[in-house]
Amino acid sequence: MSAQLSGVLTALASPFAADGQLDEKVLRRLVDRSIDGGVDGVVACGSTGEFAAMTGDERRLLVETVVDQAAGRVPVVAQTGAVSTREAVGLSRHAEAAGAAVLMVVTPYYEPLTMDETLHYLRTVADAVQIPVMLYNLPGATGVNLDPDTVGRLAREVENIRYIKDTSADMAQAGRLIHHHGDVISTFVGWDSLLLQALTEGAAGVMAGTANLMPAELVSVHRALLAGDLDRARAEWARLYPLMDAIMSAPFIQAVKVALNAAGVPVGGPREPLLGLDAATTARISSLVGSTLPHLSAAH
């Protein structure tokens, strides 16, 4: 199977202007920031990007903007899952036409499906496009956990299902995907604080919302592991971990935006119904940004 997609991918945040609309200028800055930091790909309309709070037109605009700004420098993954199969197929065909390299498809997240319904949905979306598909396993939101053996069987049956993003936060499950089904599907771990563990285990990569904030630092950990320098990777990870843990311990979308704002990248707040973090958590994350990434504070 192709090794087209691997490494550190940024799950892009979606910046909103004061009027509540998507801020395309800042979005383009986020794309450049990640690519300049060395990431191996960027992801549009993921969970960190608040896709569920957007209209279909906004999601299409966001994918078009990210593809345009990336300009072929790195692959663009477009998350095109939706509540209905019809909407997911429409978003997927649009993303393919817009130039996305890979589609990421989350299972419907309103009414938990049976496994037969889930597999029918995933097959239907994958069959509607020609480009590779990444399954997005997000059981905490969808109520459906894609078992590794089921994932492996599906990847063997549907040719363009080539990747999975596992956000179960279960390294035992990720390990089964990596070691039992790596011949047909590449595993990306979507739980940021498991980055070192996942890459050491042999995951193809990680998809991290915190890469919006510290792309070069997360890439450096990955490159150290590729070079076989586990001691350096551990030392770099240990330096980043307090900030990572603070972000992961708070409501994630809001925490990523607080950290970016503290770093001088104004992305605004989350879209309602999400509310901002309390003052104490905001101050703690902002302080850790300053102490962990002092070059950002100096530039700010």
Side-chain angles (χ1 to χ4, degrees):
M1 63 187 297
S2 169
Q4 171 192 354
L5 200 64
S6 64
V8 176
L9 310 183
T10 301
L12 291 166
S14 294
F16 298 113
D19 62 1
Q21 300 303 304
L22 184 69
D23 191 326
E24 294 180 51
K25 182 178 180 180
V26 175
L27 176 61
R28 290 177 182 274
R29 181 182 174 191
L30 284 176
V31 172
D32 284 345
R33 194 170 191 280
S34 278
I35 295 175
D36 291 346
V39 301
D40 302 286
V42 292
V43 184
C45 292
S47 298
T48 307
E50 301 176 73
F51 76 91
M54 295 184 190
T55 66
D57 285 345
E58 287 176 319
R59 291 178 67 178
R60 285 185 282 271
L61 173 61
L62 195 146
V63 169
E64 291 170 3
T65 303
V66 171
V67 169
D68 180 68
Q69 191 65 24
R73 292 175 290 169
V74 297
V76 174
V77 179
Q79 199 292 113
T80 55
V83 173
S84 76
T85 302
R86 180 177 181 179
E87 183 181 10
V89 167
L91 290 168
S92 298
R93 287 175 170 164
H94 168 267
E96 180 178 35
V102 175
L103 302 179
M104 182 169 72
V105 183
V106 71
T107 54
Y109 39 88
Y110 176 72
E111 181 67 26
L113 305 182
T114 66
M115 189 53 64
D116 285 345
E117 290 169 333
T118 299
L119 296 178
H120 178 72
Y121 163 86
L122 293 171
R123 286 191 182 98
T124 301
V125 176
D127 286 345
V129 296
Q130 301 299 313
I131 60 177
V133 170
M134 176 184 289
L135 308 178
Y136 185 4
N137 188 37
L138 186 64
T142 66
V144 176
N145 188 28
L146 296 174
D147 175 81
D149 292 336
T150 301
V151 169
R153 184 168 62 252
L154 185 60
R156 287 175 174 85
E157 294 172 356
V158 183
E159 184 177 359
N160 63 329
I161 292 180
R162 300 261 300 280
Y163 307 100
I164 181 167
K165 176 190 177 183
D166 185 70
T167 311
S168 65
D170 184 346
M171 273 306 304
Q173 176 163 300
R176 289 172 58 204
L177 285 164
I178 293 163
H179 298 298
H180 294 331
H181 305 290
D183 58 325
V184 290
I185 196 159
S186 296
T187 297
F188 284 77
V189 170
W191 201 265
D192 296 39
S193 59
L194 293 178
L195 182 145
L196 181 66
Q197 188 175 352
L199 293 174
T200 304
E201 187 70 31
V206 294
M207 191 177 295
T210 53
N212 287 279
L213 174 68
M214 43 187 171
E217 289 77 11
L218 298 186
V219 166
S220 182
V221 173
H222 180 233
R223 299 295 186 266
L225 290 173
L226 288 179
D229 193 344
L230 182 56
D231 287 343
R232 179 164 69 87
R234 283 174 170 165
E236 293 190 16
W237 182 245
R239 184 178 67 81
L240 299 174
Y241 191 80
L243 173 57
M244 175 69 74
D245 184 53
I247 293 173
M248 295 294 294
S249 298
F252 187 72
I253 291 169
Q254 297 95 312
V256 168
K257 289 194 163 182
V258 162
L260 281 167
N261 288 328
V265 184
V267 293
R271 257 197 182 166
E272 293 182 343
L274 298 182
L275 300 176
L277 300 181
D278 62 83
T281 304
T282 297
R284 179 167 180 259
I285 291 173
S286 299
S287 176
L288 283 166
V289 169
S291 60
T292 308
L293 307 170
H295 59 290
L296 298 181
S297 297
H300 182 34

